[in-house]
Amino acid sequence: MLAAAAVHAQSTRLVVPYNAGGATDAYARQLADEMGKRGVQTIVENKPGASGMIAADYVARSKPDGLTLFIGSNSTLVNNVVLFAKMPYDPFKDFVPVSHFGYQPMLLIARSNAPFATVAEYVAYARANPGKINRASVGAGSITNLCAVLLDRAAGITTTHVPYTGEAPLIQAMLSDQLDVYVGSATQAVAHIQSGKFRALAVFDQMRMEQFPGVPTLKESGYDIDALAWFGFVAPAGTPPAVVDRLGRVMSEILTSDSFTAKAARMGWIRRSGTPQEFGRFVQKEYKLWGPLIKDLGLAKSM
């Protein structure tokens, strides 16, 4: 018991702001396994809730020794800053970037027995039944909600937003017909789409997905909306630069390997790599892009 506790204490922790079993959690566990193969013993901890702020605050307050990393995203590192009037952490002051690690194109997914099978039918049904469609996401500040809000706005429709703390419980609600649609990744949906339980209506990207060549992009469906869920690692502010650089090099080795690239693709991810400095510049760029848009949508500081 004591030996196990000692190993656990020295392990690098990847803190995921969603429930176990979701797409981000699954990808994080693959990365943790690869890190372990390269001498960085790593475990995954799940701390869902509050649009990722519980997990983010936990890591921001952790010891800056490189042993606690936060898996940040559009939501937690960019969108929450604009969405929430009060936050327990500041993503630009409380963290240092470590590495970008990938993104997922978003899919508009419906239950197979929903009264619509295409984007055009979805929009027509929503216009005829304002607010009747129950649309899920993994949080108000997540890209899974924001890109759906963009579609609502572009199409002139109203749907009822139902937030969840992760994709796994969301999918269970879809399977039990408590929900009509959600925007999410292919990772957790692929088996249900292939089995016919779910129906993919469109891809929020500029190109179709390899796994679903028959599913059109949203642009092909008449709406020029491009939205990706990107993710990367950050560490508590004050983490020594040498430690950050070492972790960044390990991640770069993993993310540029052919074997991991193929594995990521099978999970519905498109891997990305880069230095800590490059990831930091990317986050700043995303903030400048999405911040004004969230304000324009009337969502800023509304929660």
Side-chain angles (χ1 to χ4, degrees):
M1 290 290 291
L2 291 176
V7 171
H8 186 282
Q10 291 303 310
S11 296
T12 297
R13 294 176 294 168
L14 304 183
V15 180
V16 179
Y18 309 114
N19 284 317
T24 308
D25 174 74
Y27 194 70
R29 293 179 189 278
Q30 291 290 341
L31 287 168
D33 182 59
E34 293 293 332
M35 291 172 72
K37 294 176 182 177
R38 289 163 174 80
V40 183
Q41 184 66 36
T42 308
I43 60 174
V44 173
E45 289 189 8
N46 302 89
K47 292 186 177 296
S51 293
M53 289 190 284
I54 292 174
D57 183 49
Y58 171 78
V59 175
R61 296 173 183 272
S62 296
K63 186 177 179 180
D65 55 8
L67 293 177
T68 306
L69 303 178
F70 176 58
I71 294 186
S73 65
N74 320 52
S75 305
T76 50
L77 299 181
V78 172
N79 300 343
N80 282 356
V81 178
V82 188
L83 282 166
F84 294 95
K86 294 182 179 180
M87 288 177 56
Y89 69 98
D90 183 328
F92 303 117
K93 295 180 180 179
D94 293 340
F95 299 119
V96 292
V98 175
S99 174
H100 202 162
F101 67 72
Y103 76 89
Q104 293 182 298
M106 294 289 97
L107 289 164
L108 178 62
I109 301 167
R111 53 184 173 85
S112 60
N113 57 351
F116 39 79
T118 66
V119 172
E121 291 176 358
Y122 170 73
V123 170
Y125 182 85
R127 286 175 178 167
N129 302 273
K132 187 174 181 179
I133 292 176
N134 288 324
R135 173 186 59 78
S137 81
V138 294
S142 71
I143 197 68
T144 64
N145 178 48
L146 293 177
C147 60
V149 170
L150 285 177
L151 177 57
D152 280 10
R153 182 177 177 178
I157 60 176
T158 302
T159 57
T160 298
H161 177 222
V162 185
Y164 283 77
T165 56
E167 208 162 347
L170 182 161
I171 286 178
Q172 289 305 310
M174 282 281 291
L175 290 170
S176 60
D177 290 345
Q178 298 174 46
L179 298 166
D180 300 305
V181 299
Y182 79 102
V183 174
S185 67
T187 305
Q188 296 300 304
V190 59
H192 301 301
I193 294 172
Q194 291 173 342
S195 70
K197 293 178 181 178
F198 291 172
R199 180 185 294 128
L201 305 186
V203 183
F204 284 82
D205 200 356
Q206 294 299 309
M207 64 186 74
R208 296 191 181 196
M209 295 185 67
E210 183 178 338
Q211 298 96 321
F212 308 110
V215 179
T217 66
L218 207 59
K219 186 173 183 179
E220 290 176 298
S221 303
Y223 301 94
D224 192 6
I225 301 174
D226 183 14
L228 307 173
W230 56 259
F231 297 83
F233 296 111
V234 294
T239 301
V243 173
V244 172
D245 288 342
R246 179 178 65 85
L247 289 168
R249 287 194 298 272
V250 170
M251 293 311 306
S252 179
E253 183 179 332
I254 294 169
L255 294 164
T256 55
S257 69
D258 291 340
S259 61
F260 189 81
T261 298
K263 186 182 297 183
R266 288 194 296 270
M267 296 176 68
W269 287 78
I270 299 173
R271 63 103 183 126
R272 278 182 175 170
S273 61
T275 66
Q277 295 74 22
E278 287 171 337
F279 182 48
R281 289 193 292 270
F282 173 81
V283 173
Q284 289 287 345
K285 181 180 177 181
E286 285 287 289
Y287 176 70
K288 292 177 182 178
L289 171 66
W290 285 98
L293 181 58
I294 292 171
K295 293 177 182 177
D296 186 50
L297 288 170
L299 299 175
K301 308 298 184 183
S302 61
M303 290 165 274

